[in-house]
Amino acid sequence: MSRVYVLLGPPGAGKGTQAAIIAEKCGIPHISSGNIFRENLQNNTNLGKQARLYMDKGELVPDGVTIGMVEDRLSQPDCREGALLDGYPRTPTQAQALNEFLKKNGNKINAVPFINVPSNELIERLSGRWTCKAEGHVYHLKYKLPKQANICDLDGSVLYQREDDKRETVEQRIKVYVEQTAPLIAFYKKDGLLFEVDGSLPIEQVTDKLMKIVNC
Ligand code: AP5
């Protein structure tokens, strides 16, 4: 693995939107822990059943389950050239585990772009979000409409509203982010890896700023 990027930001900041674009431009896989959990939910696997207990409440899935799952994914052959992580790590324990995993494999994180958006905007974004069933591509009722109503432009699958995008669950997810994930901002700043980007700009402008950080 050569280029490793961690996309940090609150729920609804645009991590998934930007990760899909940047990973394609850089030719590295987009690894979203949330998408892996949702695939498992859809396929009704044991991992999916376990994850549902936490995701529906807006809580984090325990580190013991999440760390192994992401390390398995990072060990796949398509990650040899690098990876763009979205939604992982999310706790100091996960961040430490990621550093150790990369070090063991002779690697390290290149940069941590942090997409920052005020909380009131996050709620509006998540309540208007529609997601595609097949691969998790995201749309928005106001900011990013699909060409055909309720159908994904990229793979033709049906769009749905995520269970955890209900207002009460979104509020809980933001609270969990502040308490458990925001400490990672200082963690990565200390190592000189953190680059903050204003995520309230239009999607294309956020992409331009991120591309300058990842430099590929
Ligand atoms: P996950 O799927 O990772 O959700 P999240 O971090 O809460 O992030 P979101 O997917 O909600 O938002 P996003 O930042 O990707 O925004 P998006 O691009 O969609 O995690 C879900 C759950 O899984 C967690 O709650 C937890 O239970 C579990 N989980 C996952 N990872 C875990 C981990 N590591 N440890 C433990 N548990 C874990 O954009 C949002 C909307 O805004 C879209 O509609 C989009 O079109 C729109 N938009 C995007 N950018 C802009 C812009 N610039 N202007 C206007 N609109 C925009």
mmCIF file of all heavy atoms in Angstrom, residues 35-63:
data_model
loop_
_atom_site.group_PDB
_atom_site.id
_atom_site.type_symbol
_atom_site.label_atom_id
_atom_site.label_comp_id
_atom_site.label_asym_id
_atom_site.label_seq_id
_atom_site.Cartn_x
_atom_site.Cartn_y
_atom_site.Cartn_z
ATOM 1 N N ASN A 35 -20.546 1.868 4.517
ATOM 2 C CA ASN A 35 -21.051 1.081 3.381
ATOM 3 C C ASN A 35 -20.859 -0.419 3.614
ATOM 4 O O ASN A 35 -21.724 -1.220 3.259
ATOM 5 C CB ASN A 35 -20.337 1.479 2.075
ATOM 6 C CG ASN A 35 -20.843 2.791 1.509
ATOM 7 O OD1 ASN A 35 -21.821 3.356 2.004
ATOM 8 N ND2 ASN A 35 -20.181 3.305 0.481
ATOM 9 N N ILE A 36 -19.732 -0.796 4.210
ATOM 10 C CA ILE A 36 -19.505 -2.241 4.460
ATOM 11 C C ILE A 36 -20.567 -2.751 5.451
ATOM 12 O O ILE A 36 -21.165 -3.802 5.251
ATOM 13 C CB ILE A 36 -18.081 -2.517 4.990
ATOM 14 C CG1 ILE A 36 -17.026 -1.976 4.016
ATOM 15 C CG2 ILE A 36 -17.879 -4.018 5.210
ATOM 16 C CD1 ILE A 36 -15.576 -2.155 4.486
ATOM 17 N N PHE A 37 -20.840 -1.948 6.485
ATOM 18 C CA PHE A 37 -21.890 -2.375 7.430
ATOM 19 C C PHE A 37 -23.242 -2.480 6.714
ATOM 20 O O PHE A 37 -23.984 -3.442 6.917
ATOM 21 C CB PHE A 37 -22.009 -1.384 8.593
ATOM 22 C CG PHE A 37 -20.920 -1.526 9.630
ATOM 23 C CD1 PHE A 37 -20.229 -0.416 10.091
ATOM 24 C CD2 PHE A 37 -20.606 -2.773 10.161
ATOM 25 C CE1 PHE A 37 -19.229 -0.543 11.049
ATOM 26 C CE2 PHE A 37 -19.603 -2.902 11.126
ATOM 27 C CZ PHE A 37 -18.917 -1.783 11.569
ATOM 28 N N ARG A 38 -23.559 -1.481 5.853
ATOM 29 C CA ARG A 38 -24.878 -1.514 5.177
ATOM 30 C C ARG A 38 -25.000 -2.705 4.218
ATOM 31 O O ARG A 38 -26.063 -3.309 4.105
ATOM 32 C CB ARG A 38 -25.153 -0.187 4.456
ATOM 33 C CG ARG A 38 -25.671 0.906 5.418
ATOM 34 C CD ARG A 38 -26.009 2.193 4.712
ATOM 35 N NE ARG A 38 -24.844 2.876 4.227
ATOM 36 C CZ ARG A 38 -24.046 3.644 4.983
ATOM 37 N NH1 ARG A 38 -24.312 3.822 6.262
ATOM 38 N NH2 ARG A 38 -22.990 4.229 4.471
ATOM 39 N N GLU A 39 -23.903 -3.072 3.536
ATOM 40 C CA GLU A 39 -23.951 -4.263 2.673
ATOM 41 C C GLU A 39 -24.279 -5.495 3.521
ATOM 42 O O GLU A 39 -25.060 -6.353 3.120
ATOM 43 C CB GLU A 39 -22.574 -4.515 2.049
ATOM 44 C CG GLU A 39 -22.347 -3.772 0.740
ATOM 45 C CD GLU A 39 -20.845 -3.691 0.437
ATOM 46 O OE1 GLU A 39 -20.104 -4.659 0.749
ATOM 47 O OE2 GLU A 39 -20.444 -2.639 -0.085
ATOM 48 N N ASN A 40 -23.658 -5.558 4.709
ATOM 49 C CA ASN A 40 -23.911 -6.692 5.594
ATOM 50 C C ASN A 40 -25.348 -6.698 6.123
ATOM 51 O O ASN A 40 -25.940 -7.754 6.313
ATOM 52 C CB ASN A 40 -22.901 -6.706 6.741
ATOM 53 C CG ASN A 40 -21.598 -7.360 6.309
ATOM 54 O OD1 ASN A 40 -21.482 -8.586 6.308
ATOM 55 N ND2 ASN A 40 -20.631 -6.555 5.883
ATOM 56 N N LEU A 41 -25.900 -5.488 6.349
ATOM 57 C CA LEU A 41 -27.309 -5.404 6.791
ATOM 58 C C LEU A 41 -28.214 -5.962 5.702
ATOM 59 O O LEU A 41 -29.108 -6.764 5.967
ATOM 60 C CB LEU A 41 -27.732 -3.944 7.012
ATOM 61 C CG LEU A 41 -27.183 -3.156 8.194
ATOM 62 C CD1 LEU A 41 -27.789 -1.760 8.232
ATOM 63 C CD2 LEU A 41 -27.516 -3.877 9.477
ATOM 64 N N GLN A 42 -27.954 -5.514 4.450
ATOM 65 C CA GLN A 42 -28.796 -5.960 3.328
ATOM 66 C C GLN A 42 -28.721 -7.457 3.131
ATOM 67 O O GLN A 42 -29.706 -8.103 2.800
ATOM 68 C CB GLN A 42 -28.345 -5.280 2.032
ATOM 69 C CG GLN A 42 -28.922 -3.881 1.881
ATOM 70 C CD GLN A 42 -28.561 -3.254 0.536
ATOM 71 O OE1 GLN A 42 -28.361 -3.944 -0.450
ATOM 72 N NE2 GLN A 42 -28.479 -1.939 0.492
ATOM 73 N N ASN A 43 -27.512 -8.016 3.333
ATOM 74 C CA ASN A 43 -27.330 -9.455 3.118
ATOM 75 C C ASN A 43 -27.656 -10.277 4.369
ATOM 76 O O ASN A 43 -27.478 -11.489 4.386
ATOM 77 C CB ASN A 43 -25.898 -9.748 2.660
ATOM 78 C CG ASN A 43 -25.623 -9.100 1.316
ATOM 79 O OD1 ASN A 43 -26.528 -8.930 0.513
ATOM 80 N ND2 ASN A 43 -24.379 -8.702 1.068
ATOM 81 N N ASN A 44 -28.086 -9.566 5.422
ATOM 82 C CA ASN A 44 -28.498 -10.212 6.671
ATOM 83 C C ASN A 44 -27.431 -11.144 7.255
ATOM 84 O O ASN A 44 -27.744 -12.232 7.741
ATOM 85 C CB ASN A 44 -29.811 -10.976 6.408
ATOM 86 C CG ASN A 44 -30.664 -11.028 7.630
ATOM 87 O OD1 ASN A 44 -30.478 -10.214 8.554
ATOM 88 N ND2 ASN A 44 -31.568 -11.995 7.695
ATOM 89 N N THR A 45 -26.171 -10.742 7.168
ATOM 90 C CA THR A 45 -25.088 -11.546 7.737
ATOM 91 C C THR A 45 -25.056 -11.358 9.258
ATOM 92 O O THR A 45 -25.697 -10.441 9.788
ATOM 93 C CB THR A 45 -23.715 -11.093 7.188
ATOM 94 O OG1 THR A 45 -23.488 -9.757 7.665
ATOM 95 C CG2 THR A 45 -23.663 -11.106 5.662
ATOM 96 N N ASN A 46 -24.257 -12.179 9.942
ATOM 97 C CA ASN A 46 -24.122 -12.013 11.391
ATOM 98 C C ASN A 46 -23.552 -10.649 11.732
ATOM 99 O O ASN A 46 -23.990 -9.997 12.684
ATOM 100 C CB ASN A 46 -23.213 -13.101 11.976
ATOM 101 C CG ASN A 46 -23.977 -14.400 12.106
ATOM 102 O OD1 ASN A 46 -25.214 -14.394 12.185
ATOM 103 N ND2 ASN A 46 -23.249 -15.506 12.095
ATOM 104 N N LEU A 47 -22.567 -10.207 10.932
ATOM 105 C CA LEU A 47 -21.976 -8.879 11.158
ATOM 106 C C LEU A 47 -23.052 -7.799 11.010
ATOM 107 O O LEU A 47 -23.148 -6.880 11.821
ATOM 108 C CB LEU A 47 -20.837 -8.648 10.149
ATOM 109 C CG LEU A 47 -20.158 -7.282 10.187
ATOM 110 C CD1 LEU A 47 -19.449 -7.052 11.512
ATOM 111 C CD2 LEU A 47 -19.149 -7.147 9.042
ATOM 112 N N GLY A 48 -23.894 -7.939 9.976
ATOM 113 C CA GLY A 48 -24.974 -6.978 9.739
ATOM 114 C C GLY A 48 -25.957 -6.950 10.901
ATOM 115 O O GLY A 48 -26.369 -5.883 11.351
ATOM 116 N N LYS A 49 -26.306 -8.142 11.418
ATOM 117 C CA LYS A 49 -27.270 -8.209 12.536
ATOM 118 C C LYS A 49 -26.690 -7.520 13.771
ATOM 119 O O LYS A 49 -27.378 -6.807 14.485
ATOM 120 C CB LYS A 49 -27.593 -9.672 12.865
ATOM 121 C CG LYS A 49 -28.532 -10.293 11.850
ATOM 122 C CD LYS A 49 -28.809 -11.748 12.214
ATOM 123 C CE LYS A 49 -29.376 -12.482 11.016
ATOM 124 N NZ LYS A 49 -29.107 -13.899 11.022
ATOM 125 N N GLN A 50 -25.390 -7.729 13.985
ATOM 126 C CA GLN A 50 -24.723 -7.113 15.143
ATOM 127 C C GLN A 50 -24.679 -5.586 14.974
ATOM 128 O O GLN A 50 -24.988 -4.840 15.894
ATOM 129 C CB GLN A 50 -23.277 -7.610 15.166
ATOM 130 C CG GLN A 50 -22.895 -8.368 16.400
ATOM 131 C CD GLN A 50 -21.445 -8.810 16.273
ATOM 132 O OE1 GLN A 50 -21.042 -9.390 15.268
ATOM 133 N NE2 GLN A 50 -20.659 -8.522 17.278
ATOM 134 N N ALA A 51 -24.297 -5.143 13.754
ATOM 135 C CA ALA A 51 -24.137 -3.712 13.491
ATOM 136 C C ALA A 51 -25.464 -2.965 13.608
ATOM 137 O O ALA A 51 -25.511 -1.838 14.098
ATOM 138 C CB ALA A 51 -23.526 -3.501 12.106
ATOM 139 N N ARG A 52 -26.563 -3.605 13.183
ATOM 140 C CA ARG A 52 -27.874 -2.942 13.196
ATOM 141 C C ARG A 52 -28.248 -2.437 14.591
ATOM 142 O O ARG A 52 -28.824 -1.364 14.749
ATOM 143 C CB ARG A 52 -28.960 -3.900 12.677
ATOM 144 C CG ARG A 52 -30.331 -3.228 12.564
ATOM 145 C CD ARG A 52 -31.429 -4.212 12.196
ATOM 146 N NE ARG A 52 -31.272 -4.808 10.899
ATOM 147 C CZ ARG A 52 -31.601 -4.230 9.746
ATOM 148 N NH1 ARG A 52 -32.091 -3.019 9.753
ATOM 149 N NH2 ARG A 52 -31.433 -4.856 8.611
ATOM 150 N N LEU A 53 -27.867 -3.219 15.615
ATOM 151 C CA LEU A 53 -28.209 -2.860 16.990
ATOM 152 C C LEU A 53 -27.686 -1.468 17.344
ATOM 153 O O LEU A 53 -28.260 -0.754 18.136
ATOM 154 C CB LEU A 53 -27.591 -3.865 17.974
ATOM 155 C CG LEU A 53 -27.998 -5.323 17.833
ATOM 156 C CD1 LEU A 53 -27.173 -6.203 18.760
ATOM 157 C CD2 LEU A 53 -29.492 -5.455 18.149
ATOM 158 N N TYR A 54 -26.573 -1.094 16.749
ATOM 159 C CA TYR A 54 -25.937 0.201 17.057
ATOM 160 C C TYR A 54 -26.326 1.262 16.030
ATOM 161 O O TYR A 54 -26.625 2.398 16.377
ATOM 162 C CB TYR A 54 -24.412 0.034 17.084
ATOM 163 C CG TYR A 54 -23.994 -0.993 18.099
ATOM 164 C CD1 TYR A 54 -23.828 -2.336 17.755
ATOM 165 C CD2 TYR A 54 -23.824 -0.627 19.427
ATOM 166 C CE1 TYR A 54 -23.490 -3.287 18.692
ATOM 167 C CE2 TYR A 54 -23.480 -1.576 20.384
ATOM 168 C CZ TYR A 54 -23.322 -2.896 20.004
ATOM 169 O OH TYR A 54 -22.992 -3.829 20.954
ATOM 170 N N MET A 55 -26.298 0.902 14.738
ATOM 171 C CA MET A 55 -26.525 1.888 13.669
ATOM 172 C C MET A 55 -27.910 2.517 13.776
ATOM 173 O O MET A 55 -28.062 3.721 13.612
ATOM 174 C CB MET A 55 -26.339 1.236 12.299
ATOM 175 C CG MET A 55 -24.903 0.841 12.053
ATOM 176 S SD MET A 55 -24.676 -0.098 10.543
ATOM 177 C CE MET A 55 -24.718 1.180 9.318
ATOM 178 N N ASP A 56 -28.934 1.703 14.069
ATOM 179 C CA ASP A 56 -30.301 2.242 14.140
ATOM 180 C C ASP A 56 -30.455 3.255 15.267
ATOM 181 O O ASP A 56 -31.340 4.094 15.238
ATOM 182 C CB ASP A 56 -31.331 1.105 14.313
ATOM 183 C CG ASP A 56 -31.544 0.353 12.997
ATOM 184 O OD1 ASP A 56 -31.007 0.803 11.966
ATOM 185 O OD2 ASP A 56 -32.239 -0.688 13.017
ATOM 186 N N LYS A 57 -29.579 3.172 16.271
ATOM 187 C CA LYS A 57 -29.667 4.114 17.399
ATOM 188 C C LYS A 57 -28.711 5.289 17.223
ATOM 189 O O LYS A 57 -28.608 6.152 18.073
ATOM 190 C CB LYS A 57 -29.311 3.381 18.707
ATOM 191 C CG LYS A 57 -30.375 2.392 19.147
ATOM 192 C CD LYS A 57 -30.085 1.857 20.537
ATOM 193 C CE LYS A 57 -28.937 0.867 20.481
ATOM 194 N NZ LYS A 57 -28.699 0.093 21.653
ATOM 195 N N GLY A 58 -27.925 5.265 16.140
ATOM 196 C CA GLY A 58 -26.955 6.345 15.922
ATOM 197 C C GLY A 58 -25.700 6.186 16.760
ATOM 198 O O GLY A 58 -24.932 7.135 16.938
ATOM 199 N N GLU A 59 -25.480 4.972 17.276
ATOM 200 C CA GLU A 59 -24.281 4.700 18.091
ATOM 201 C C GLU A 59 -23.196 4.087 17.210
ATOM 202 O O GLU A 59 -23.487 3.550 16.139
ATOM 203 C CB GLU A 59 -24.611 3.685 19.202
ATOM 204 C CG GLU A 59 -25.731 4.086 20.139
ATOM 205 C CD GLU A 59 -25.339 5.231 21.059
ATOM 206 O OE1 GLU A 59 -24.136 5.486 21.198
ATOM 207 O OE2 GLU A 59 -26.246 5.878 21.609
ATOM 208 N N LEU A 60 -21.966 4.100 17.700
ATOM 209 C CA LEU A 60 -20.882 3.452 16.962
ATOM 210 C C LEU A 60 -20.916 1.943 17.197
ATOM 211 O O LEU A 60 -21.194 1.489 18.315
ATOM 212 C CB LEU A 60 -19.520 3.985 17.420
ATOM 213 C CG LEU A 60 -19.226 5.452 17.110
ATOM 214 C CD1 LEU A 60 -17.800 5.790 17.545
ATOM 215 C CD2 LEU A 60 -19.413 5.769 15.636
ATOM 216 N N VAL A 61 -20.596 1.190 16.166
ATOM 217 C CA VAL A 61 -20.436 -0.262 16.310
ATOM 218 C C VAL A 61 -19.135 -0.460 17.123
ATOM 219 O O VAL A 61 -18.169 0.288 16.922
ATOM 220 C CB VAL A 61 -20.328 -0.932 14.909
ATOM 221 C CG1 VAL A 61 -20.178 -2.428 15.033
ATOM 222 C CG2 VAL A 61 -21.555 -0.570 14.045
ATOM 223 N N PRO A 62 -19.111 -1.421 18.065
ATOM 224 C CA PRO A 62 -17.924 -1.548 18.928
ATOM 225 C C PRO A 62 -16.613 -1.733 18.143
ATOM 226 O O PRO A 62 -16.585 -2.360 17.083
ATOM 227 C CB PRO A 62 -18.231 -2.786 19.777
ATOM 228 C CG PRO A 62 -19.715 -2.888 19.768
ATOM 229 C CD PRO A 62 -20.172 -2.351 18.446
ATOM 230 N N ASP A 63 -15.550 -1.166 18.702
ATOM 231 C CA ASP A 63 -14.224 -1.242 18.070
ATOM 232 C C ASP A 63 -13.830 -2.674 17.755
ATOM 233 O O ASP A 63 -13.233 -2.952 16.707
ATOM 234 C CB ASP A 63 -13.163 -0.654 19.021
ATOM 235 C CG ASP A 63 -13.264 0.864 19.127
ATOM 236 O OD1 ASP A 63 -13.826 1.493 18.205
ATOM 237 O OD2 ASP A 63 -12.781 1.420 20.132
#
